[in-house]
Amino acid sequence: MKEEKEENEMRKMIMVIICLGLLFSIASLFTAGTLAQGEDESTLSIGMPTLYEETFLLWVGSPSQDLWAMVYDYLFYRDTDTKDIIPGLAKEIWQVSEDLMTYTIQLREGIPWQDGWGEVTAEDVKYTFDRSKKPGSTNSEREVLEKAIDYIEVVDDYTVSFHLKNPDPKFWHFLVADISGWNLPIVCKNYILEVGEKKAGEEPIGSGPYRVVEHGWGDYFKFEAKTEHWRVVPEFKYVIMRVVPEESTRVAMLKTGALDIAEISLRSVADVNKTEGTAAESWPGGYVMYVSFGGMLTPLDERYEEGYHRTDPWADVRVREAMNLAINREDLVKVIYKNMADPMPIGWTLPGYEELDPIPYDPDRAKELLSEAGYPDGFSLTLNAHESPPAVEIPIVQELLASYFGEIGLQAKVSMTDKAKAREYMRAAKDVGMLIPQETGVRRNWEVKFPGSYLPGAAKNHFQSEELTALYNRVVEEVDIEKREKIWAEIAKYNRKNFTEIPLVVAHPIFGFRTDKVGEWPKNSPFPKYFEYIRRAEPLGNWRLFTP
Amino acid sequence: MRRYLLLRLGQGIISLLIMSILIFFLARLTGNPLDVLLPENATLAEYELMSEYLKLDEPFYKQYWSFLTKAIKGDFGDSLRYRTPVRDFIIRRAPVTFGLAGVAFLVSILIAIPAGVIAAFQKDKWQDIIAKLFAIFGQSLPTFWLGIMLIQLFAVHLGWLPAGMYNKGIQYWILPALSLGWHSTAGILRLTRSEMLDVLSSDYVRLAKIKGLSTPVVIWKHALRNALIPVVTFLSNIYGRFLMGSVVTEVVFSWPGLGRLAYEAIMHRDFPMVQGLVIIFVGLFILINLITDILYIYLDPRIRYVID
């Protein structure tokens, strides 16, 4: 009897457990989010490998501009044809004081925040920059902003002045929607103070041409176009930005029409181009691929160790030149980059780089130089390789470099890691004996970015010399912008002459798109991508563009 | 019986604690998350500042103690990448993974057990051959490759099913569930078949046949129950494996679940996120094992006798 009672109790317990388990799984189907099907003619679906962040209050940096630019506006933009800076929320180009310490901006009047939150005013501009640079801000460019700006003054409702800590002829980089990365879209102060940062990040209020209408966490954002906007009324009523981490899936979704635009890499270009209804196009600008020489610190750097650093063969400029001459960049562009890249003479697109002589392909001369430098039998080295989207071709490029080096007698071993590990080697100054691939944006604010690669004290610097440090110091002391550009050109020549790295190409990022859906698409730079300006292949007639 | 269950629960808690220590230290062996978080031009001074802000400069034992005391209350800290609580992400994304694992689990059982029984009963006939082929493919094809191939075949070439994307429509679940579940379905099928073959040749089954019981009653009521004992153990591992195997499936099919969250966290060295997810997964695994033990006791009276 007792056993029978226990067995019944056990049976009941098991049935309860099984039912709970099934209920839980079924309940999950209903509680998990879902995307309302918006894939009709008025919807543009964009697939990207990541959203970078899922808040509209600005943390991570420039990759999130694809999201921000849908909802917010910037003070200034770049004209997509002429590349000139044009006013955005500002009604005209900034005024700068003679001592280059104060930048004053006049805003347009009457630009509304959505949902009745008033107009864009100088208070909003001040608030945007103050919250990004304040202590405790998690904006990744906080330090840069904090170093540059002393305080921001609201002169009147539509006039704001930035007072700088040091004269800076290029402070405007912070104000222009551009690829340099620190430019901030303007946020609504009253709304954020009213609802708090969390809600404002999840349900943003912006002045931009789109509003957020749906968000699937970790999955997508859906935007709806406003019917009136001071800059552009987009042609696509809805835009869905969707996370599709796996590239083959993005391509498959492009082919089946589930996506209209997809970020792709070189390996998918042929497939997308040969599929009916889809095409691949490259974007101007993009990123520069180069390979840095390890262990090139100088005693100026606190991490320098005597006898450890600057002991590799490439400490000799002849060896660096030889390694550069060994590479056939034209072949690289044709074979690896499918002609969607251009050879580079130096690692960065510094002013004047286009006037520099290209590095020729001359393996015979390379061998002579190695002999002169005392390496007639070559030497061993490690080529670090890692994938770093969009530069997914890095491992193949490094294998190719290994074979080029082999032809001049160097024994190169390719070592696969992840990008974080490669950065760790550099930060810890342990990249001795190693060449590390770098991909870096086509930048414009060199004053801020240059120290990170070439000056002592930066975590990712790859080449140091007293001459470079002296040249850079001249740049930042010079307030005349034309003279600054000339010093930059000197730095470009120095880098070319001294082979401070192994420059390869400037590669263009690539998008696949559906030709039956996507029409004209202004291309200026990767960030932002100006999705609001994309035309349909067959226009619907609701698109309106206003000249600022 | 109660003592036994309490003992198993205690063992589970100790296992969880040991795993938390392991994961905490192993995650940090991958390197400094600031190498991923900070911009390229960050200075060494900025590394120090951020390290201090995120408490990464504290000794490991202090960081662990801080983590443990919060984790007990369900607080896994803030994501280094998103600067928002890890718990919020887990709560939001968990239903997707549990749903997918549940569907894959149900489908696996519904296909594998009947197929295994039929294959055993029809040994060496065409039903058995098909079942064996299904099992071989299922256990040899890697999940990520299978997922991509299923997309190419059923979505791109045939156009029958969607290529990816998370949605409640049943057509969106078929390929991910198949991709996730095929490997385990194959395992369950083979095990069921093997156990059934053993059981079908045993004396008591022969006796049941001699007594005149119908074949379906002999198979489904008498033989299957005994054949299921090792299968139940296997099944308990399956659900846990589906939860963890969801990483590949969710990345390939672009589902916003815990698996993809784990993938993103590992890529970005988001320690708190990795720790939180692993603790959750391990905890679930331990819970599932406990439930399996209870089921086992019910299925096999001999075990109940030993425990008593």
Side-chain angles (χ1 to χ4, degrees), chain B residues 109-134:
Chain B
I109 297 173
L110 291 172
I111 294 175
I113 293 179
V117 168
I118 293 167
F121 192 66
Q122 304 287 350
K123 187 171 180 295
D124 297 331
K125 296 197 181 129
W126 64 267
Q127 296 95 327
D128 188 25
I129 294 169
I130 289 174
K132 280 195 273 193
L133 279 172
F134 179 89

Side-chain angles (χ1 to χ4, degrees), chain A residues 274-315:
Chain A
K274 78 175 186 233
T275 301
E276 194 182 327
T278 64
E281 240 177 76
S282 64
W283 209 258
Y287 58 94
V288 179
M289 268 290 304
Y290 64 92
V291 181
S292 63
F293 293 105
M296 294 298 286
L297 300 184
T298 67
L300 292 169
D301 194 301
E302 65 185 52
R303 297 166 297 167
Y304 176 79
E305 278 177 49
E306 185 71 45
Y308 181 67
H309 291 107
R310 284 214 167 232
T311 55
D312 288 304
W314 49 75

Side-chain angles (χ1 to χ4, degrees), chain A residues 327-401:
Chain A
I327 297 164
N328 188 334
R329 288 167 180 79
E330 296 292 339
D331 261 4
L332 199 66
V333 165
K334 209 184 315 180
V335 174
I336 302 292
Y337 290 92
K338 318 279 184 225
N339 293 316
M340 291 179 175
D342 299 301
M344 282 291 286
I346 55 172
W348 285 26
T349 54
L350 297 173
Y353 85 95
E354 281 151 325
E355 280 83 50
L356 297 172
D357 293 331
I359 301 174
Y361 171 54
D362 193 346
D364 292 331
R365 177 65 187 141
K367 286 178 200 166
E368 282 172 18
L369 284 165
L370 284 175
S371 283
E372 283 171 27
Y375 299 99
D377 299 322
F379 54 85
S380 299
L381 65 136
T382 301
L383 283 170
N384 175 272
H386 58 263
E387 280 200 5
S388 176
V392 297
E393 73 280 7
I394 287 177
I396 300 172
V397 169
Q398 293 295 73
E399 292 286 352
L400 195 56
L401 258 56

Side-chain angles (χ1 to χ4, degrees), chain A residues 54-304:
Chain A
E54 294 192 54
T55 171
F56 279 81
L57 287 184
L58 326 159
W59 301 140
V60 174
S62 56
S64 305
Q65 291 196 35
D66 294 337
L67 291 180
W68 307 338
M70 303 292 288
V71 171
Y72 299 116
D73 287 313
Y74 292 78
L75 289 170
F76 300 92
Y77 292 86
R78 274 202 191 266
D79 184 286
T80 54
D81 294 318
T82 65
K83 309 280 194 303
D84 291 336
I85 295 168
I86 54 175
L89 288 174
K91 88 177 162 189
E92 59 196 19
I93 296 294
W94 59 86
Q95 292 152 14
V96 56
S97 61
E98 276 192 27
D99 60 0
L100 300 172
M101 297 278 287
T102 305
Y103 283 69
T104 301
I105 294 156
Q106 294 282 342
L107 299 175
R108 289 175 200 278
E109 295 180 25
I111 293 185
W113 293 110
Q114 71 188 69
D115 299 346
W117 282 89
E119 287 182 4
V120 178
T121 66
E123 284 287 349
D124 296 311
V125 176
K126 176 177 160 60
Y127 178 76
T128 298
F129 281 83
D130 276 343
R131 66 176 293 281
S132 295
K133 72 180 188 64
K134 69 181 181 187
S137 162
T138 51
N139 190 306
S140 59
E141 304 295 345
R142 190 201 79 79
E143 297 283 335
V144 173
L145 288 166
E146 216 274 323
K147 276 181 197 161
I149 302 171
D150 188 10
Y151 68 97
I152 303 165
E153 179 194 358
V154 171
V155 177
D156 60 46
D157 282 350
Y158 301 103
T159 310
V160 59
S161 287
F162 290 83
H163 298 271
L164 307 184
K165 288 181 178 169
N166 297 294
D168 188 352
K170 279 193 160 180
F171 173 74
W172 52 266
H173 273 292
F174 290 98
L175 313 172
V176 179
D178 205 351
I179 54 172
S180 48
W182 315 272
N183 34 84
L184 301 176
I186 305 304
V187 299
C188 180
K189 174 186 177 183
N190 290 338
Y191 177 68
I192 297 170
L193 292 179
E194 171 90 10
V195 305
E197 297 254 333
K198 189 169 187 300
K199 183 168 175 179
E202 293 172 13
E203 298 170 26
I205 292 292
S207 64
Y210 281 98
R211 70 177 80 229
V212 177
V213 292
E214 266 181 52
H215 175 205
W217 282 92
D219 198 11
Y220 71 94
F221 279 99
K222 184 173 180 179
F223 304 89
E224 182 183 27
K226 294 174 185 167
T227 52
E228 293 291 333
H229 189 258
W230 66 274
R231 185 162 47 89
V232 63
V233 174
E235 189 145 55
F236 286 98
K237 186 173 181 202
Y238 297 104
V239 170
I240 299 171
M241 281 195 197
R242 187 186 296 286
V243 179
V244 186
E246 170 58 38
E247 185 175 335
S248 62
T249 309
R250 282 200 301 279
V251 171
M253 288 172 78
L254 191 68
K255 289 179 182 178
T256 57
L259 291 176
D260 301 309
I261 295 175
E263 286 190 34
I264 62 175
S265 70
L266 290 158
R267 55 186 171 221
S268 303
V269 168
D271 188 18
V272 168
N273 275 331
K274 78 175 186 233
T275 301
E276 194 182 327
T278 64
E281 240 177 76
S282 64
W283 209 258
Y287 58 94
V288 179
M289 268 290 304
Y290 64 92
V291 181
S292 63
F293 293 105
M296 294 298 286
L297 300 184
T298 67
L300 292 169
D301 194 301
E302 65 185 52
R303 297 166 297 167
Y304 176 79

